[in-house]
Amino acid sequence: MAAIPTETVYGLAALATDEDACRSIFSVKGRPLIDPLIVHVAAFSSIPAFAEPVEGLDKLAKTFWPGPLTVILPKRKAIPDLVTAGKPSVAIRIPDQKAALSLLAKVDGPLAAPSANPFGYVSPTRPEHVADTFGEKVPFVLDGGSCRIGVESTILDMRDPRRPGLLRPGAIGRTQLEECLGRSIRICPSVVSSVETALAPGTMERHYSPGTPLFLFESEPPADAGTSRQAVVFLQPPRERPHPIPAHAHAYWWSESGDLTEMAQNLFSLLRRLDAAGYVAIHCQLPAGEEPLAVAVRDRLRRAAAGK
Ligand code: TXA
Ligand code: MG
């Protein structure tokens, strides 16, 4: 087992066909055995050995792979039941990251790799994030620097290709997927409160959470956010912003320019940094709009704040 970079977040990887190695991923992450792992492959041509290449998959692959799209497909026997938590379906993607692709080409098989964070905690986007939370438990981290995208892949349910469903928003948006498939895509109720009832169990409500209580705002932080030991994260630096920073607040911003790409890249590392800084609360500004990354970032921040 080793941590590997991808273009989205770092993953905790083991051969997907090796049941014992995959069992250790669950135990190191503290992940319940009912929450299935996603499987990474190097090439489209290897998919039929592990999953059914349903109608429309070739179009998705041509348009989005390698890239931040995970597709749920009917699974084949070569993938152990442990990996899919007993489900007859498997989540598959081809990552767009040089080191990950060359590792996948070298190892003889697909790699199961969920995000390399303890279950429920903020995902890792830098090699030291993996080391910070796992230490000796994950002795090998393949260093790919900072992840280019910073939020996890879009998950598309293609078990029934005539009724595709969006399970998790990511850098690839629903409209792009609809244009590619020529079908409308239903949004699955991803905000569910318990791991047992979620179709994608990791999409349950409380997820990606720092230990510090996290609160969200759209345009202005609450007036009482201005006490010391509270952090306020704005979309961009003060000069671009109409609202004053509350007195005594420790102000941060997701991006120097208010740019969504930069915001997604910084999201998890800033949350980790502020979580380690000893604040009693973190107030986060949500990005507006329907661009895929705005939707994805809002989804992650809402989950991080849920249940607080
Ligand atoms: O960008 C990503 O997808 C990253 C990188 C490392 O590739 N991986 C990642 O893995 O985010 P993970 O395990 O943290 O999230 C995958 C999600 C989980 O919510 C899991 O429950 C869901 O995919 N999933 C896996 N197999 C599934 C299946 N057969 N049916 C429904 N959901 C599934
Ligand atoms: Mg995860």
Side-chain angles (χ1 to χ4, degrees):
M1 190 179 53
I4 59 163
T6 80
E7 79 281 34
T8 57
V9 301
Y10 275 72
L12 202 53
L15 262 188
T17 47
D18 180 339
E19 200 169 318
D20 288 340
C22 290
R23 197 178 297 279
S24 66
I25 295 182
F26 284 98
S27 71
V28 165
K29 264 186 75 90
R31 183 175 188 138
L33 289 167
I34 50 171
D35 190 353
L37 307 180
I38 92 167
V39 172
H40 300 69
V41 296
F44 185 63
S45 58
S46 55
I47 288 181
F50 309 112
E52 190 185 316
V54 299
E55 183 203 323
L57 185 68
D58 53 341
K59 284 193 217 158
L60 291 169
K62 270 198 199 99
T63 314
F64 301 113
W65 278 344
L69 174 68
T70 296
V71 179
I72 311 287
L73 297 169
K75 100 171 184 70
R76 297 250 158 94
K77 278 210 191 83
I79 299 294
D81 288 339
L82 176 92
V83 169
T84 64
K87 286 173 183 291
S89 59
V90 59
I92 293 206
R93 85 177 185 105
I94 304 178
D96 183 17
Q97 210 283 350
K98 231 171 131 189
L101 284 173
S102 60
L103 181 69
L104 278 165
K106 276 191 197 106
V107 298
D108 189 20
L111 289 174
S115 53
N117 50 303
F119 184 67
Y121 193 60
V122 181
S123 291
T125 52
R126 292 199 46 82
E128 57 271 25
H129 294 164
V130 182
D132 287 350
T133 45
F134 289 121
E136 290 303 300
K137 282 196 211 161
V138 181
F140 186 75
V141 183
L142 183 58
D143 188 347
S146 289
C147 297
R148 179 170 60 78
I149 291 178
V151 290
E152 301 85 346
S153 59
T154 304
I155 304 184
L156 183 66
D157 180 6
M158 287 288 284
R159 288 172 306 162
D160 177 352
R162 287 157 305 175
R163 292 185 68 241
L166 190 70
L167 296 183
R168 180 172 73 184
I172 295 171
R174 181 185 179 200
T175 313
Q176 286 167 278
L177 294 167
E178 287 181 333
E179 277 166 13
C180 175
L181 289 171
R183 287 182 193 281
S184 67
I185 291 174
R186 73 209 148 87
I187 303 219
C188 299
S190 59
V191 180
V192 288
S193 53
S194 96
V195 80
E196 287 84 0
T197 53
L199 173 60
T203 59
M204 66 186 174
E205 191 172 340
R206 169 90 188 271
H207 209 68
Y208 312 102
S209 296
T212 313
L214 197 135
F215 303 94
L216 309 176
F217 64 96
E218 280 174 2
S219 54
E220 264 183 279
D224 64 357
T227 64
S228 61
R229 305 319 304 155
Q230 298 201 36
V232 183
V233 190
F234 295 97
L235 296 180
Q236 54 198 328
R239 63 178 182 279
E240 313 288 347
R241 219 166 13 77
H243 304 295
I245 297 171
H248 314 302
H250 291 238
Y252 299 85
W253 33 93
W254 298 119
S255 150
E256 277 298 324
S257 58
D259 172 60
L260 270 173
T261 305
E262 199 177 55
M263 176 176 182
Q265 285 164 348
N266 292 337
L267 180 72
F268 291 143
S269 38
L270 186 53
L271 285 181
R272 281 174 176 253
R273 185 152 69 85
L274 297 179
D275 197 22
Y279 287 112
V280 296
I282 306 170
H283 299 267
C284 297
Q285 187 172 14
L286 293 166
E290 291 311 307
E291 278 182 63
L293 281 176
V295 175
V297 166
R298 283 201 299 271
D299 170 79
R300 303 312 188 270
L301 282 172
R302 289 203 169 113
R303 287 176 204 290
K308 298 281 168 100

